[in-house]
Amino acid sequence: MGLGFSFKATIPARRFSGIFAKETNWKAVIESAVAQVAENYGTEFLIPPYGSAGQIAAHYCEEWLDFEQRDGAIMLSGRTSTCGPGYHAFMIDVIDQLKKTYKLEFAEDDENLDETGYFSDRNFSDLQQQHANWLKAVASGVLGNAREGADSQMISLPIDVIVQSGSAGTVLTPHGPIELKELKQIEAASNPLLLDLAAGWFPWWDRSPSALDWVRTAKTLMWVDVPWHVPAGENETHLMSAAIKCSKLAKSADPAVDRPVKEMRELEFLLRSGTAKSTIPSAEGIGYRRRLCTRYVGSGWSCEIPGYWYEFQDDDNWGLTFGGQQMWVSSYTVERNTDGDKPLELSELKDDETEILQFDVGNLRYRLSKRTDLTEDEGFVYVLQVTRLDGFLIITFAGNDAELEASIPQIARSVKSPDRSLG
């Protein structure tokens, strides 16, 4: 459930004043309009420097826009209930820019419309009210789920996001974990308190970003997206620098505003040339990934591992690494086991392996083994196999860190997979 918009525009049949080539790259046109309007707002540095074939990035704090071009028309849709009413108005400004410069008419109909009504009425106060009402409805829904026994709930976070495991009575959000009592306050609130609570929730609440908007945006990036390790390339450098810039813009707008100064200094240290890639972030402070997190490792499997570990890809092999320690991951989906509701059988233990633990939990079967043919100088190698009704997971741990080695059984027990017994 989320607020957003969906528009369709017919591509002009003729060229206008020489603007169009015969084969216009309309995705690039829209990306250019986003960048131009973002520059007017001063948010151009918050546009991720990468994209995909069917999506357009417009802001780190919101899902990417869905783009499609077919049958002589352009379809553009997006969600705005994570970033807020300021971002929603920003996107309508992008639509206006496309109309002005490229003669594209994004008209509304029964299937394509602005759910908030802002496209037609341009009432920003009402747009803020729509987002506040949405927040109240979400709070009510989450509380209802909690009363029915649900735990590990999330609001406005992707299902595969890297976040710490939830606990009873807390809900994970883009601005950190919150207690249910905060949602109860939102559910019970009416104006003007509801608007005040909503203003403190969304990263971009005002028409143009205010000092508090910059602070909320910085904190959202730090909580969700910042990896809390030395950046592994240009994209992570851009993201981490964007969080720092948001904090600095907040100070420029209001020197007295409360900013995440400690976290900003830690980011500056991680970005500094010469900082070791093995630098472990502080366990305290803003940021899910500085702690033990749920990491999704393919085919629905997940396990608990520090969120700041790096991902790596070596040909067809994928894994996680940090400080010279490695986790190689392979996952497979196969034809379901027809032997009742038992998980697939594990492979035979090799001669150079010794079993550390083996157990079944529900429809999952686990075995952790250790290689016995390695010397102390060569480090350790552990192999974890987990099977379910229709697939299996293999994780190979390799390294020489005693702390990691001691935690491997705990990591093994943390592996989970969706219950597919009824699927």
Side-chain angles (χ1 to χ4, degrees):
M1 181 176 66
L3 294 175
F5 61 86
S6 177
F7 294 124
K8 178 179 179 180
T10 301
I11 298 174
R14 299 180 180 179
R15 296 169 61 187
F16 290 84
S17 303
I19 292 176
F20 304 123
K22 289 183 179 179
E23 296 295 334
T24 301
N25 184 340
W26 287 104
K27 182 173 182 289
V29 165
I30 296 173
E31 289 174 334
S32 177
V34 168
Q36 182 176 343
V37 176
E39 187 173 355
N40 296 338
Y41 279 90
T43 62
E44 68 282 354
F45 67 97
L46 289 170
I47 301 175
Y50 48 89
S52 64
Q55 293 185 307
I56 296 171
H59 197 291
Y60 274 120
C61 294
E62 191 54 87
E63 291 183 359
W64 292 1
L65 307 169
D66 289 321
F67 168 82
E68 187 177 3
Q69 178 180 337
R70 57 180 169 83
D71 301 328
I74 293 169
M75 276 66 72
L76 185 66
S77 61
R79 193 176 76 166
T80 65
S81 48
T82 299
C83 200
Y87 172 76
H88 191 110
F90 160 80
M91 283 309 310
I92 299 304
D93 286 349
V94 172
I95 298 298
D96 290 344
Q97 180 69 27
L98 291 166
K99 176 181 178 180
K100 176 183 177 182
T101 306
Y102 299 99
K103 312 302 180 186
L104 290 175
E105 291 283 353
F106 286 90
E108 292 186 290
D109 56 34
D110 291 341
E111 296 183 358
N112 300 283
L113 75 163
D114 183 342
E115 296 173 344
T116 70
Y118 181 76
F119 179 74
S120 57
D121 63 33
R122 305 304 170 104
N123 186 326
F124 188 74
S125 294
D126 183 66
L127 180 61
Q128 290 177 315
Q129 185 69 61
Q130 293 271 354
H131 281 75
N133 293 344
W134 171 87
L135 179 60
K136 183 171 183 172
V138 169
S140 180
V142 171
L143 290 169
N145 293 337
R147 286 189 290 270
E148 294 177 3
D151 56 10
S152 301
Q153 295 193 79
M154 299 190 299
I155 296 176
S156 297
L157 291 172
I159 190 63
D160 59 350
V161 69
I162 301 172
V163 292
Q164 65 195 58
S165 299
S167 59
T170 63
V171 177
L172 304 182
T173 78
H175 53 268
I178 63 173
E179 297 183 5
L180 290 175
K181 64 181 181 181
E182 294 186 46
L183 296 177
K184 290 178 181 177
Q185 184 183 24
I186 294 172
E187 182 187 39
S190 55
N191 290 343
L193 177 58
L194 177 60
L195 287 171
D196 288 342
L197 294 172
W201 180 279
F202 296 99
W204 191 349
W205 176 254
D206 297 296
R207 186 68 172 87
S208 294
S210 65
L212 290 174
D213 286 336
W214 289 125
V215 169
R216 284 190 293 269
T217 300
K219 289 182 176 180
T220 298
L221 296 182
M222 291 175 178
W223 271 113
V224 180
D225 299 300
V226 167
W228 295 106
H229 57 220
V230 172
E234 180 182 353
N235 290 336
E236 289 189 351
T237 298
H238 186 276
L239 165 66
M240 295 161 73
S241 299
I244 293 173
K245 185 167 183 176
C246 283
S247 184
K248 291 181 176 179
L249 285 171
K251 183 178 180 180
S252 297
D254 180 0
V257 73
D258 186 19
R259 301 180 301 137
V261 176
K262 181 180 74 70
E263 288 82 1
M264 188 174 74
R265 289 174 180 166
E266 189 173 1
L267 283 181
E268 290 173 336
F269 176 75
L270 292 172
L271 287 167
R272 189 180 305 164
S273 176
T275 301
K277 293 191 71 173
S278 58
T279 300
I280 297 175
S282 169
E284 301 300 324
I286 297 171
Y288 287 121
R289 293 183 59 176
R290 63 170 74 244
R291 303 172 178 86
L292 194 67
C293 289
T294 298
R295 299 288 298 252
Y296 288 87
V297 293
S299 303
W301 297 98
S302 68
C303 69
E304 302 294 321
I305 196 77
Y308 53 83
W309 277 45
Y310 294 91
E311 295 185 15
F312 69 85
Q313 188 80 39
D314 183 6
D315 295 327
D316 293 333
N317 299 310
W318 177 88
L320 299 167
T321 182
F322 193 84
Q325 317 307 303
Q326 294 180 329
M327 281 178 50
W328 298 81
V329 181
S330 299
S331 59
Y332 305 88
T333 299
V334 299
E335 187 174 345
R336 284 179 56 110
N337 191 351
T338 57
D339 183 16
D341 58 356
K342 296 180 180 179
L344 299 173
E345 293 294 331
L346 298 166
S347 64
E348 293 187 7
L349 196 67
K350 297 179 180 179
D351 293 338
D352 60 356
E353 291 178 315
T354 183
E355 184 179 290
I356 303 299
L357 55 86
Q358 180 171 334
F359 59 93
D360 289 8
V361 175
N363 289 319
L364 299 181
R365 177 166 293 160
Y366 300 72
R367 185 182 70 212
L368 177 66
S369 61
K370 182 181 180 179
R371 286 267 302 274
T372 58
D373 59 340
L374 300 177
T375 66
E376 184 175 341
D377 291 339
E378 291 175 306
F380 59 77
V381 172
Y382 288 79
V383 178
L384 171 66
Q385 289 189 45
V386 189
T387 65
R388 63 190 184 204
L389 299 179
D390 66 344
F392 59 97
L393 172 74
I394 300 174
I395 300 180
T396 301
F397 302 89
N400 54 15
D401 182 79
E403 186 175 346
L404 171 64
E405 184 173 13
S407 69
I408 288 175
Q410 178 184 353
I411 297 172
R413 291 185 178 92
S414 75
V415 170
K416 296 179 182 178
S417 180
D419 186 349
R420 297 166 181 257
S421 61
L422 301 179

